[in-house]
Amino acid sequence: MKPLLVILMGSQADRKQADAVAEAARPMGMDVKMHIGSAHKTATHVLNLLKMYESDPRPKVYVTIAGRSNALSGFTDGAVISPVIACPPIPEKFGGADIFSSLSMPSGIAPAVVLDPANAALLAAKIFALSDPDIREAVKEFQDSARQKILDDDTALNVEG
Amino acid sequence: MKPLLVILMGSQADRKQADAVAEAARPMGMDVKMHIGSAHKTATHVLNLLKMYESDPRPKVYVTIAGRSNALSGFTDGAVISPVIACPPIPEKFGGADIFSSLSMPSGIAPAVVLDPANAALLAAKIFALSDPDIREAVKEFQDSARQKILDDDTALNVEG
Amino acid sequence: MKPLLVILMGSQADRKQADAVAEAARPMGMDVKMHIGSAHKTATHVLNLLKMYESDPRPKVYVTIAGRSNALSGFTDGAVISPVIACPPIPEKFGGADIFSSLSMPSGIAPAVVLDPANAALLAAKIFALSDPDIREAVKEFQDSARQKILDDDTALNVEG
Amino acid sequence: MKPLLVILMGSQADRKQADAVAEAARPMGMDVKMHIGSAHKTATHVLNLLKMYESDPRPKVYVTIAGRSNALSGFTDGAVISPVIACPPIPEKFGGADIFSSLSMPSGIAPAVVLDPANAALLAAKIFALSDPDIREAVKEFQDSARQKILDDDTALNVEG
Amino acid sequence: MKPLLVILMGSQADRKQADAVAEAARPMGMDVKMHIGSAHKTATHVLNLLKMYESDPRPKVYVTIAGRSNALSGFTDGAVISPVIACPPIPEKFGGADIFSSLSMPSGIAPAVVLDPANAALLAAKIFALSDPDIREAVKEFQDSARQKILDDDTALNVEG
Amino acid sequence: MKPLLVILMGSQADRKQADAVAEAARPMGMDVKMHIGSAHKTATHVLNLLKMYESDPRPKVYVTIAGRSNALSGFTDGAVISPVIACPPIPEKFGGADIFSSLSMPSGIAPAVVLDPANAALLAAKIFALSDPDIREAVKEFQDSARQKILDDDTALNVEG
Amino acid sequence: MKPLLVILMGSQADRKQADAVAEAARPMGMDVKMHIGSAHKTATHVLNLLKMYESDPRPKVYVTIAGRSNALSGFTDGAVISPVIACPPIPEKFGGADIFSSLSMPSGIAPAVVLDPANAALLAAKIFALSDPDIREAVKEFQDSARQKILDDDTALNVEG
Amino acid sequence: MKPLLVILMGSQADRKQADAVAEAARPMGMDVKMHIGSAHKTATHVLNLLKMYESDPRPKVYVTIAGRSNALSGFTDGAVISPVIACPPIPEKFGGADIFSSLSMPSGIAPAVVLDPANAALLAAKIFALSDPDIREAVKEFQDSARQKILDDDTALNVEG
């Protein structure tokens, strides 16, 4: 039984960011489910989805993806016991100030903010790895390979130069 | 039958801002009701409150007050037909970037952002004034008095100088 | 007798934003009038326009559109009893800091700031809906359709995946 | 006949900044007049004041002082032929973003932005100095004295150390 | 065997923030260990600490606390398999821009950013709750109590008013 | 004898901005001279240029154009009695923060900051207009024509619509 | 024996910036070595490289190049006695706020921040010039040529115009 | 013969920052000279000072301290062959944007920006250490002591706790 990553988008427009999370998550050994739901417009729909997943016995992490003012991440975090990772698209307007709608949370609302979608998947893997030896091994391999890539790049640079 | 201003705070900590709105609103001829409810933590409670007020036949405007990441204003706006005025406390941290959590709304979510609590009450009065001659008169008097204040200050300055 | 949305632009350059407001407003049942007038350069012209519209008995909302330093919204708000919605084009330079020229209003000046032009039209509709059952119905249909779009997108995503 | 510095404040709250300009301006040989008038709330009053001063034959510079969203400077500049110096109080909120309401002017509106009130008076003096030999001499003395202050401070520092 | 929260501070100056995390974490059922170590000045010391904790069989979450340019969080995250929560003190200077040193991570480095220290402890609890029923219960109780607090505040407000 | 506008660029790269000032200035009746000189790299060259122009009996305004950290405007202002207009190219990087290198002047240094090059020329014209009736007339015509353009645009819009 | 410039990149992606430093440094008389190493992912590799170079008897300056959150510059500075120049690529996102990860250093960590890669090479040359007469001569020639370029541009402009 | 640190302040107001640099520099084995001179107001005085110091045969580093728009650092850097460290006081207004007047240098102007005054002294020491074994030893001792402080703090924390 693989652990479950539930990716929740605020709208269809966030699909690309959600796919980037999913593509990084699946090879590390998670099942991935994706949903679209707006905390602003379809709050009840989102609450129903969350209730359904919370009753699923598998270990779960939620990744919430919402541009502009991100209500979805805090809304989700307040409704579930499982951890929530807020992974909003990097905002272009107003010097990127929308990121603070993911960060400035009230007491008792604690989504983990991670900017890069592949890093969001990695954080989810690190969380599942606490109790899942296969995912622990996958994280280890991922990190080793990232380190080796740098060592190889350094070697290549100095052979070349 | 006076029109109704429903002031919704995200937490007890927003009470001072809410009182400032209420104190400016009452003399202009509105009934004021205040509530505390968090879109993050008590979404269902907020939805129930909104449903109750939406079924009230009086003309209504909502004022939503929430610091940090303001989910409450958009959440309220998506759930009601009446207009919503977002009046968050002016944020101190991060160059005030939290204000963009009130401004950066997705399509179909349209709270009116007003920074000053007395101005939020004035906007509510202008909205009610479209169909309420008493409030229309109150707005007119308020504006005339604000204008006269400036003319008097100018006269005093030049008599003095 | 339909209610009236008066869209006031600071210059010909704001036409595109004005059209976006108008296109969203008309299907919701408002009459739309558009004008060009600068608070900086043609203050008397703007005051005359506003006086003319204020004497029109129809319910009215003003939408003011002015880039760079937005004097037009506050100038209009101080001259009329009807509500004013400031809908400036999203500024590109200086991290979008021009938006604060729409927000930082003195006491007694209370335009509603809304960033998205279609959302500005929606706010106007919500305001008129307080006393106009047809527009109330239009807002309700608009919101229901926006909600249904999200539910359909979620269903399609999960049928597909 | 001394040239004339007209200081225009947006409200009584700007009095301190206006006094700082006046105190620096008078010793340099200008007559100073102060007024209070809001472009938002008392546009006609401001236009009347400007018309009155524009018909005064003396050389004139206007200094406009308005906090928050500064409509007054551009509004004044568009209504007069004489130069306008915008000298808003340095804004505290939102990282000082209100300063852009003084800077981001449309074509044909050209107030000179100067942050420090004594510097605003100096710029006015430099402008009058183009045609007024007494003020020219005052500017020269002011600059010489500022330079000497630095040379003296450097000497004192090295005598001391 | 309780799970372990390792709080790593960049310097003695971060002690207050570390204590705030610890005080929120202990009642939820975690063991807490605190350390001081600088990624800039004592990299080897930090690597040794991390190696020691990584060989401890208990489930672990790291909380890293470092002001100014936060190298510690990414440095820790790259060296461990367990999840890392970056909880820097909210920066005062430069509009709080130091927060981006916690957020702008390269590929393969995925600390969870959480601003509030009690929220950092809550996120750690949510992570441990995936495999620890006692902590799961503690999270549930914490959330229920936070919700009830709001409902009670709302009731008190309306009884009073 | 026409008054003289001296445009000083920090480098060849500022030529386009300088030309935009010149093109707007010449039709208003000023003579224009352009120079390149860096306060950082060729301070003595700039001081010599300024000494030469200061001894020219014609009324003069300087326009200083320098990107990145603008030392040139303050450096020029401290060395001349005539007014200086800082007209830096609008900066792209770091949210345009370079503009503050033009604004944040010490006591006794008072360049007029104007963002738009044509507006910088207009401010120079307004300054010269204090003592030059031809330029006064040119400013008046320019302003009248700018006003008429708006009135015509408004008429065209409403004939069309 | 030429002095040595060690350019350290956080990843292969920083190669272009590193090459720009190297191209400006070599003609001034430095030997250049380039390496890739991440303080986050390969801390031990970087420490080993630094230990190797620190034992090299030649005078050395390090240039560290790392985008996003720059841990590399402070990490290097804490591990070496030689001076470190942080030359991060100019950041595009979030109004360039990542630059503060290079600037906001704790006590005892003192990299020199220089934005332009050719300027970073120039600073290295100025440092080596303190004890190396050839490089001193190269700096002098570079500065003279930069000055002459401006004088020539000014002459060309005025011959042309 | 000790190497020489020349601290140049823009005005008497920068004395505190200059003293902090000097107090950290002297124990590391540098001679310190302090001067006051404004690039804006007393350019010739500054150029004369720099010419005098440049003809001194001792190794030299300049530290330039100027608040608001920092012209002094670039102005100094362009006039000397020795390295220049810009150490402006951390700016309070406008989100600290004045720091960019120290960073945004044109080609050929390369001051090293360091925020903390003690760190500026440390960088100067690292530069002198390239050719001065006594200062090299002082830097080593300083770094060792900073490292030991952290190790001791960590030990104390864990003995205590």
Side-chain angles (χ1 to χ4, degrees):
Chain A
M1 192 184 69
K2 288 181 177 174
L4 179 62
L5 192 72
V6 181
I7 302 175
L8 203 48
M9 290 163 263
S11 85
Q12 178 70 26
D14 300 312
R15 181 67 191 275
K16 198 178 146 194
Q17 180 92 341
D19 284 346
V21 176
E23 276 157 38
R26 284 195 191 99
M28 287 190 157
M30 299 166 237
D31 276 340
V32 175
K33 296 291 288 182
M34 287 204 263
H35 283 283
I36 296 172
S38 163
H40 293 123
K41 286 182 262 186
T42 63
T44 306
H45 167 60
V46 174
L47 290 175
N48 287 342
L49 282 172
L50 296 176
K51 211 168 295 175
M52 183 186 78
Y53 282 110
E54 286 295 279
S55 70
D56 183 316
R58 284 177 288 178
K60 274 172 309 287
V61 168
Y62 297 87
V63 172
T64 47
I65 300 176
R68 308 204 195 184
S69 181
N70 175 9
L72 186 63
S73 300
F75 183 79
T76 298
D77 193 72
V80 302
I81 293 180
S82 301
V84 174
I85 301 172
C87 185
I90 293 187
E92 299 281 327
K93 304 283 182 187
F94 298 112
D98 283 345
I99 194 65
F100 291 97
S101 68
S102 297
L103 282 166
S104 291
M105 288 295 138
S107 68
I109 301 294
V113 181
V114 175
L115 290 186
D116 181 83
N119 285 348
L122 175 59
L123 175 58
K126 285 184 148 204
I127 291 172
F128 290 134
L130 290 183
S131 54
D132 184 318
D134 291 346
I135 293 193
R136 184 176 177 84
E137 192 54 32
V139 171
K140 195 174 172 316
E141 274 170 30
F142 179 93
Q143 289 181 323
D144 285 344
S145 144
R147 282 175 205 123
Q148 195 58 44
K149 170 78 169 55
I150 290 173
L151 301 180
D152 292 348
D153 284 349
D154 187 36
T155 304
L157 179 69
N158 282 284
V159 167
E160 161 199 343
Chain B
M1 193 185 65
K2 287 180 178 176
L4 179 62
L5 191 72
V6 181
I7 303 175
L8 203 48
M9 289 164 263
S11 85
Q12 178 70 24
D14 299 312
R15 181 67 191 275
K16 200 179 145 192
Q17 180 93 340
D19 284 347
V21 176
E23 275 157 37
R26 285 195 190 97
M28 286 190 158
M30 299 166 238
D31 276 341
V32 174
K33 296 291 288 183
M34 286 204 263
H35 283 282
I36 296 172
S38 162
H40 293 122
K41 286 182 262 186
T42 62
T44 306
H45 167 60
V46 175
L47 290 174
N48 287 343
L49 282 172
L50 297 176
K51 212 169 293 175
M52 182 187 80
Y53 281 110
E54 284 296 280
S55 70
D56 183 316
R58 283 177 289 179
K60 271 172 311 287
V61 168
Y62 297 87
V63 173
T64 47
I65 300 176
R68 309 204 195 183
S69 181
N70 175 9
L72 186 62
S73 301
F75 183 79
T76 299
D77 193 72
V80 302
I81 293 180
S82 301
V84 174
I85 300 172
C87 185
I90 292 187
E92 298 281 327
K93 304 284 183 186
F94 299 110
D98 283 345
I99 193 65
F100 291 97
S101 68
S102 298
L103 281 167
S104 291
M105 287 295 139
S107 68
I109 302 295
V113 181
V114 175
L115 290 186
D116 180 84
N119 285 349
L122 175 58
L123 175 58
K126 286 185 146 201
I127 290 171
F128 289 134
L130 290 183
S131 54
D132 184 316
D134 291 347
I135 293 193
R136 185 178 176 84
E137 193 53 36
V139 171
K140 196 176 171 313
E141 275 170 28
F142 179 93
Q143 289 181 323
D144 285 345
S145 146
R147 282 175 204 123
Q148 195 56 46
K149 170 77 168 59
I150 290 173
L151 301 180
D152 292 350
D153 284 348
D154 187 37
T155 304
L157 178 70
N158 283 283
V159 167
E160 161 199 343
Chain C
M1 191 184 67
K2 287 179 179 177
L4 179 62
L5 191 73
V6 181
I7 302 175
L8 204 48
M9 288 163 265
S11 85
Q12 179 69 28
D14 300 312
R15 182 66 191 276
K16 199 178 145 191
Q17 180 94 340
D19 285 346
V21 177
E23 275 156 38
R26 285 194 191 98
M28 286 190 157
M30 300 166 236
D31 276 340
V32 176
K33 295 291 290 183
M34 286 204 264
H35 284 282
I36 296 172
S38 161
H40 293 123
K41 287 182 260 188
T42 63
T44 307
H45 167 61
V46 175
L47 291 174
N48 287 343
L49 282 172
L50 296 176
K51 212 169 294 175
M52 182 186 79
Y53 282 109
E54 284 295 280
S55 70
D56 183 315
R58 285 178 287 179
K60 271 171 312 287
V61 169
Y62 297 87
V63 173
T64 47
I65 299 175
R68 307 203 196 185
S69 181
N70 175 10
L72 186 62
S73 300
F75 182 80
T76 298
D77 194 71
V80 303
I81 293 179
S82 301
V84 174
I85 300 171
C87 186
I90 292 186
E92 299 280 328
K93 304 284 183 186
F94 298 111
D98 283 345
I99 193 66
F100 291 96
S101 67
S102 298
L103 281 167
S104 291
M105 287 294 139
S107 69
I109 302 294
V113 180
V114 176
L115 290 186
D116 180 82
N119 285 349
L122 175 59
L123 175 59
K126 285 184 146 202
I127 291 171
F128 289 134
L130 290 182
S131 55
D132 185 315
D134 290 348
I135 293 193
R136 184 178 177 82
E137 192 55 33
V139 171
K140 194 174 173 315
E141 275 171 28
F142 179 93
Q143 290 181 322
D144 285 345
S145 145
R147 281 175 206 124
Q148 194 58 46
K149 170 77 169 57
I150 290 172
L151 302 180
D152 292 350
D153 284 348
D154 186 37
T155 305
L157 178 69
N158 282 283
V159 167
E160 161 199 343
Chain D
M1 192 184 67
K2 288 181 179 174
L4 180 62
L5 191 72
V6 182
I7 302 175
L8 204 49
M9 288 163 266
S11 85
Q12 180 69 26
D14 301 311
R15 182 65 191 276
K16 199 179 146 192
Q17 180 94 340
D19 284 346
V21 176
E23 275 156 39
R26 286 197 190 95
M28 286 191 158
M30 300 166 236
D31 276 340
V32 175
K33 296 291 288 183
M34 286 204 264
H35 283 282
I36 296 170
S38 162
H40 292 123
K41 286 182 261 186
T42 64
T44 306
H45 167 60
V46 175
L47 290 174
N48 287 343
L49 282 173
L50 297 176
K51 212 169 293 175
M52 183 186 78
Y53 282 109
E54 283 297 279
S55 70
D56 183 316
R58 284 178 289 178
K60 270 170 314 287
V61 168
Y62 297 88
V63 172
T64 46
I65 299 175
R68 307 203 195 184
S69 181
N70 175 8
L72 186 62
S73 300
F75 182 79
T76 298
D77 194 73
V80 303
I81 293 179
S82 301
V84 175
I85 300 172
C87 185
I90 292 187
E92 299 281 327
K93 303 284 183 188
F94 298 111
D98 283 345
I99 193 65
F100 291 97
S101 68
S102 297
L103 282 166
S104 292
M105 287 294 140
S107 69
I109 301 296
V113 181
V114 176
L115 290 186
D116 180 83
N119 284 348
L122 175 59
L123 175 58
K126 285 185 146 202
I127 291 171
F128 289 135
L130 290 183
S131 55
D132 184 316
D134 290 347
I135 293 193
R136 183 177 178 82
E137 193 53 35
V139 171
K140 194 174 171 317
E141 274 169 29
F142 179 94
Q143 289 181 322
D144 286 344
S145 145
R147 281 174 205 125
Q148 195 57 47
K149 170 77 168 58
I150 290 172
L151 300 180
D152 292 350
D153 284 348
D154 187 36
T155 304
L157 178 70
N158 283 284
V159 167
E160 160 199 343
Chain E
M1 194 184 66
K2 287 180 179 174
L4 179 62
L5 192 72
V6 181
I7 302 176
L8 204 48
M9 289 164 263
S11 86
Q12 179 70 27
D14 300 313
R15 181 68 190 274
K16 198 178 147 193
Q17 181 93 341
D19 284 346
V21 177
E23 275 156 39
R26 284 196 191 97
M28 286 190 158
M30 298 166 238
D31 276 338
V32 175
K33 295 292 288 182
M34 286 204 262
H35 282 283
I36 297 172
S38 162
H40 292 123
K41 286 181 262 187
T42 63
T44 306
H45 167 60
V46 175
L47 290 174
N48 287 343
L49 283 172
L50 297 176
K51 212 168 294 173
M52 183 185 78
Y53 282 109
E54 284 296 280
S55 69
D56 183 316
R58 285 178 287 179
K60 272 172 310 288
V61 168
Y62 297 87
V63 172
T64 48
I65 299 176
R68 308 203 195 185
S69 181
N70 175 9
L72 186 62
S73 300
F75 183 78
T76 298
D77 193 72
V80 302
I81 293 180
S82 300
V84 175
I85 300 172
C87 185
I90 292 187
E92 298 282 327
K93 305 283 182 185
F94 299 111
D98 283 344
I99 193 65
F100 291 97
S101 68
S102 297
L103 281 166
S104 291
M105 287 295 139
S107 68
I109 301 296
V113 181
V114 175
L115 290 186
D116 181 83
N119 285 348
L122 175 58
L123 174 58
K126 286 185 146 203
I127 291 172
F128 289 134
L130 290 183
S131 53
D132 185 316
D134 290 347
I135 294 193
R136 184 177 177 83
E137 192 55 32
V139 171
K140 195 174 171 316
E141 275 170 28
F142 179 94
Q143 289 181 324
D144 285 345
S145 145
R147 282 175 205 123
Q148 194 59 44
K149 170 78 169 58
I150 290 173
L151 301 180
D152 291 350
D153 285 349
D154 187 38
T155 305
L157 178 70
N158 282 283
V159 167
E160 161 200 342
Chain F
M1 193 184 65
K2 287 180 179 176
L4 179 62
L5 191 73
V6 181
I7 302 174
L8 203 48
M9 288 163 264
S11 85
Q12 180 70 25
D14 300 312
R15 182 67 191 275
K16 199 178 146 192
Q17 180 93 340
D19 285 346
V21 177
E23 275 157 39
R26 285 196 190 96
M28 285 190 159
M30 299 165 238
D31 276 339
V32 175
K33 296 290 290 182
M34 285 204 264
H35 283 284
I36 296 171
S38 163
H40 293 123
K41 287 182 261 187
T42 64
T44 307
H45 167 60
V46 174
L47 290 174
N48 287 342
L49 282 173
L50 297 176
K51 211 169 293 174
M52 184 186 79
Y53 282 109
E54 284 297 279
S55 70
D56 182 318
R58 283 176 289 178
K60 271 172 311 289
V61 168
Y62 297 88
V63 173
T64 46
I65 299 175
R68 308 203 195 184
S69 181
N70 175 10
L72 186 62
S73 300
F75 183 79
T76 297
D77 194 71
V80 303
I81 293 179
S82 301
V84 175
I85 301 171
C87 185
I90 293 187
E92 299 280 327
K93 304 283 182 186
F94 298 111
D98 283 344
I99 194 66
F100 291 96
S101 68
S102 297
L103 281 166
S104 291
M105 288 294 139
S107 68
I109 302 295
V113 180
V114 176
L115 289 186
D116 179 84
N119 285 350
L122 174 59
L123 174 58
K126 286 185 146 201
I127 291 171
F128 289 134
L130 289 184
S131 55
D132 184 317
D134 291 348
I135 293 192
R136 184 179 177 82
E137 193 53 35
V139 171
K140 196 177 170 314
E141 275 170 29
F142 179 94
Q143 289 181 323
D144 286 345
S145 145
R147 282 174 205 124
Q148 196 56 46
K149 169 78 168 59
I150 290 172
L151 302 180
D152 292 350
D153 284 348
D154 187 37
T155 305
L157 178 70
N158 283 283
V159 167
E160 161 199 343
Chain G
M1 192 184 68
K2 289 179 177 175
L4 180 62
L5 191 73
V6 181
I7 302 175
L8 205 47
M9 288 163 263
S11 84
Q12 180 69 26
D14 300 312
R15 181 67 190 274
K16 199 178 147 192
Q17 181 93 339
D19 285 345
V21 176
E23 275 156 39
R26 285 196 190 98
M28 286 191 158
M30 298 166 239
D31 276 340
V32 175
K33 295 291 288 182
M34 286 203 263
H35 283 283
I36 296 172
S38 162
H40 293 121
K41 285 181 262 186
T42 63
T44 307
H45 167 60
V46 174
L47 290 175
N48 287 342
L49 282 172
L50 297 176
K51 212 168 294 174
M52 182 186 78
Y53 282 110
E54 284 296 280
S55 69
D56 182 317
R58 285 177 287 180
K60 272 171 310 288
V61 168
Y62 297 87
V63 172
T64 46
I65 300 176
R68 308 202 195 184
S69 181
N70 175 9
L72 186 62
S73 300
F75 182 79
T76 298
D77 194 72
V80 302
I81 293 180
S82 301
V84 175
I85 301 171
C87 186
I90 294 187
E92 299 281 327
K93 304 285 183 185
F94 298 112
D98 282 344
I99 194 65
F100 291 97
S101 67
S102 298
L103 282 166
S104 291
M105 287 295 139
S107 69
I109 302 294
V113 181
V114 176
L115 289 186
D116 180 83
N119 285 349
L122 175 58
L123 174 58
K126 287 184 146 205
I127 290 171
F128 289 134
L130 289 183
S131 55
D132 184 317
D134 290 347
I135 294 193
R136 185 177 176 84
E137 193 53 35
V139 171
K140 196 177 170 314
E141 274 170 30
F142 179 93
Q143 289 182 323
D144 285 345
S145 146
R147 283 175 204 122
Q148 196 57 46
K149 170 75 169 56
I150 290 172
L151 301 179
D152 292 350
D153 285 349
D154 187 36
T155 305
L157 178 70
N158 283 283
V159 167
E160 160 199 343
Chain H
M1 193 184 67
K2 287 181 179 174
L4 180 61
L5 191 72
V6 182
I7 302 175
L8 204 48
M9 289 163 265
S11 85
Q12 180 69 28
D14 300 312
R15 181 66 190 277
K16 198 179 147 193
Q17 180 94 340
D19 284 346
V21 177
E23 276 157 38
R26 285 196 191 98
M28 286 190 158
M30 300 166 237
D31 276 340
V32 174
K33 296 291 289 183
M34 287 204 262
H35 283 283
I36 296 171
S38 162
H40 293 123
K41 286 181 261 187
T42 64
T44 306
H45 167 60
V46 175
L47 290 174
N48 287 343
L49 282 172
L50 296 176
K51 211 169 293 173
M52 184 186 77
Y53 281 109
E54 284 296 280
S55 70
D56 183 315
R58 284 177 287 178
K60 272 172 311 286
V61 168
Y62 297 88
V63 172
T64 46
I65 300 176
R68 305 203 196 185
S69 181
N70 176 8
L72 186 63
S73 299
F75 182 79
T76 298
D77 193 73
V80 302
I81 293 179
S82 300
V84 175
I85 301 171
C87 186
I90 293 187
E92 298 281 327
K93 304 282 182 186
F94 298 112
D98 283 345
I99 194 65
F100 291 97
S101 68
S102 297
L103 281 167
S104 292
M105 287 294 140
S107 68
I109 301 295
V113 181
V114 175
L115 289 186
D116 180 82
N119 285 349
L122 175 59
L123 175 58
K126 285 185 148 204
I127 291 172
F128 289 135
L130 289 183
S131 54
D132 184 316
D134 291 348
I135 294 193
R136 184 178 177 83
E137 193 53 33
V139 170
K140 195 174 170 316
E141 274 170 29
F142 179 94
Q143 289 181 324
D144 285 345
S145 144
R147 280 174 206 124
Q148 195 59 46
K149 170 78 167 58
I150 290 172
L151 301 180
D152 293 350
D153 284 350
D154 187 36
T155 304
L157 178 69
N158 283 282
V159 167
E160 161 199 342

